[in-house]
Amino acid sequence: MKKILYKVVAILVLTATISACSSDNDDQASGSGKITLEFDNAFGSNDLILQTQGNKTSNNEILKITTVKYIVSNVVLTKADGTIFTYPKEKSYFIADESTKAGQDFELSDIPAGDYVKVKFGIGVDKAQWQLGATGQGDFLAQAQAAGMLWNWTAGYKFFALEGNFTSPTVTTAVPFMIHTGQTGTDYNYTEVTLDFPTKALVRTNINPDVHIITDLSKILDGPNKIKLTDYNTSGMGAMIMGGAALPLITANVATMFRVDHVHND
């Protein structure tokens, strides 16, 4: 009797598994869903708090950050089978802003159903898009201008902006700092980032994954290239890095700031 029961249970489990797999495959093969890219700013191992939090660099400089903004663009998603989905370019420009909830979560719609394992995106506006001219930017130009992410049309977009005050062993009274990347002279300073997911993002008609991306802002100064704000405080009025030889080094650091912490499939 027990053997018969075991066989019945085994058959039921197998049938349920096959049915679930079949249903799962059906969901993957047709339809579309949404996926959200959530950008969570941090400094080292600490979640970022604007205005009041002291953030220490390897050069013993203490930063109190007041502004973090960057342009996220040209999103490309890769499935487990290697299939690539490029998000429509006209919808693929977003402004990350630590001070607003809308500047942290970016929902992408009409994503083909499937199991996604990788995302690629740009930081900044690619040169081909900028070369379309002011009239070729659509609504994003006004959006960037309102967010303070445009110097002027000739100078172009700010790709990344980090601002605040700092002190150091030799700068004992807090002074301001500004780090802005974008087009400077012959350097365009646009960069792209590719991130693997620790678990699959299961896009379905009834599942809209949330990809939680940590942005470690300490990498701006403590990435592959070490940048010391004190060295740029030459007038004693603060460190303003918006061009020159440091900007390509900072752009290289920007590319190392991001990692996917986890994926929510619900």
Side-chain angles (χ1 to χ4, degrees), residues 103-182:
Q104 297 173 39
D105 297 340
F106 306 126
E107 184 181 85
L108 313 181
S109 58
D110 300 317
I111 308 299
D115 297 353
Y116 289 87
V117 296
K118 186 180 299 187
V119 64
K120 182 175 77 171
F121 53 86
I123 297 298
V125 174
D126 54 292
K127 198 167 187 177
Q129 178 68 18
W130 180 71
Q131 288 176 334
L132 294 176
T135 58
Q137 306 305 304
D139 296 336
F140 187 71
L141 183 63
Q143 184 184 348
Q145 192 164 24
M149 294 300 283
L150 187 77
W151 279 305
N152 56 58
W153 179 245
T154 303
Y157 294 98
K158 298 175 189 176
F159 298 164
F160 172 85
L162 184 70
E163 301 175 6
N165 300 288
F166 82 99
T167 58
S168 73
T170 57
V171 181
T172 56
T173 300
V175 295
F177 74 87
M178 289 186 182
I179 299 172
H180 294 170
T181 73

